[in-house]
Amino acid sequence: GNSVTQMEGPVTLSEEAFLTINCTYTATGYPSLFWYVQYPGEGLQLLLKATKADDKGSNKGFEATYRKETTSFHLEKGSVQVSDSAVYFCALSPSGSGSARQLTFGSGTQLTVLP
Amino acid sequence: DTGVSQDPRHKITKRGQNVTFRCDPISEHNRLYWYRQTLGQGPEFLTYFQNEAQLEKSRLLSDRFSAERPKGSFSTLEIQRTEQGDSAMYLCASSLSTGGLMNTEAFFGQGTRLTVV
């Protein structure tokens, strides 16, 4: 079956540091890949997505590139802010259409950014 | 705010009782999803509806769980004879599917946190 593995957390960084959160996946066919973010007390929000190999998703300074050869979708940001403190989830959807049907999530990575 | 809303936000119940949660999706969205999230884990898919039709159910959805979306708008998730293992956050999400490749992202509600004592 499908699965998503995220780097273990929590991650603590100083403001303006570089962020990488690793994500690898196992799936058949050509899944769509997502990063969701969950701020304290709020629901999950889509941060970025990619629907085919070599696509780069980007939003709010975050980027992730769909690497089929390494089955990875690592999240990066060049300079984190205190307001980026949240839990980040990598996820996949089994179809290539970007549909939310049957999302499979990783276990989440807690990010804390210190001023 | 016209996002996905869930009610109640918190529910504490005794083991063996029945509970029902409600989800109101974004009004124009035709798909509605239920997920369960336990502490320290990512959400796990339970079931989804396209309009009023329940199209898929996870094996996680035991026969004590039932979900409905009677008019293709709001949905309810009922858990009968609750067990301590049912304690979790229950998340609802909605999206718009127009067929083919035109699908929106899933918008999630804030969830209902269930504690079974």
Side-chain angles (χ1 to χ4, degrees):
Chain A
N2 299 329
S3 67
V4 175
T5 302
Q6 278 183 245
M7 87 188 260
E8 295 287 326
V11 174
T12 302
L13 296 173
S14 298
E15 205 164 24
E16 300 184 3
F18 183 85
L19 169 70
T20 300
I21 301 178
N22 290 338
C23 171
T24 57
Y25 68 89
T26 301
T28 55
Y30 300 92
S32 295
L33 301 174
F34 307 82
W35 278 99
Y36 280 84
V37 59
Q38 188 172 34
Y39 298 101
E42 298 186 16
L44 290 163
Q45 300 173 26
L46 179 66
L47 181 60
L48 53 84
K49 68 179 181 183
T51 58
K52 62 183 188 296
D54 299 326
D55 266 3
K56 177 185 283 189
S58 61
N59 186 28
K60 300 181 181 180
F62 290 89
E63 293 184 338
T65 301
Y66 187 163
R67 301 286 190 202
K68 192 163 177 62
E69 63 277 12
T70 54
T71 62
S72 66
F73 193 55
H74 304 321
L75 182 69
E76 296 182 337
K77 186 175 186 182
S79 176
V80 293
Q81 305 301 312
V82 172
S83 57
D84 294 327
S85 298
V87 182
Y88 292 81
F89 292 93
C90 185
L92 69 80
S93 173
S95 71
S97 65
S99 169
R101 173 179 160 266
Q102 282 202 36
L103 286 165
T104 299
F105 286 87
S107 57
T109 301
Q110 171 76 57
L111 170 66
T112 301
V113 180
L114 302 175
Chain B
D1 183 56
T2 57
V4 177
S5 63
Q6 293 188 244
D7 183 70
R9 293 288 309 279
H10 304 274
K11 178 72 177 178
I12 300 174
T13 191
K14 291 184 178 180
R15 190 174 50 186
Q17 297 295 304
N18 299 343
V19 293
T20 300
F21 311 139
R22 177 180 169 122
C23 171
D24 286 274
I26 293 172
S27 59
E28 64 267 27
H29 285 181
N30 56 354
R31 285 191 175 181
L32 186 146
Y33 313 80
W34 285 99
Y35 284 79
R36 182 176 71 184
Q37 184 178 16
T38 53
L39 199 61
Q41 299 299 315
E44 298 171 290
F45 171 78
L46 292 178
T47 187
Y48 94 96
F49 294 82
Q50 175 131 340
N51 300 311
E52 66 275 9
Q54 188 173 17
L55 296 188
E56 286 198 52
K57 293 194 289 187
S58 162
R59 66 183 186 281
L60 295 175
L61 210 67
S62 77
D63 56 7
R64 295 186 298 105
F65 288 69
S66 62
E68 295 182 343
R69 195 183 183 199
K71 297 182 180 178
S73 57
F74 73 92
S75 176
T76 57
L77 177 68
E78 181 183 18
I79 309 174
Q80 295 182 324
R81 304 180 304 282
T82 53
E83 301 172 357
Q84 286 188 317
D86 297 331
S87 296
M89 176 78 83
Y90 290 84
L91 297 169
C92 178
S94 70
S95 70
L96 177 64
S97 172
T98 59
L101 297 179
M102 301 301 293
N103 297 296
T104 69
E105 67 188 84
F107 291 82
F108 281 81
Q110 293 178 295
T112 295
R113 181 168 296 284
L114 173 66
T115 303
V116 181
V117 296

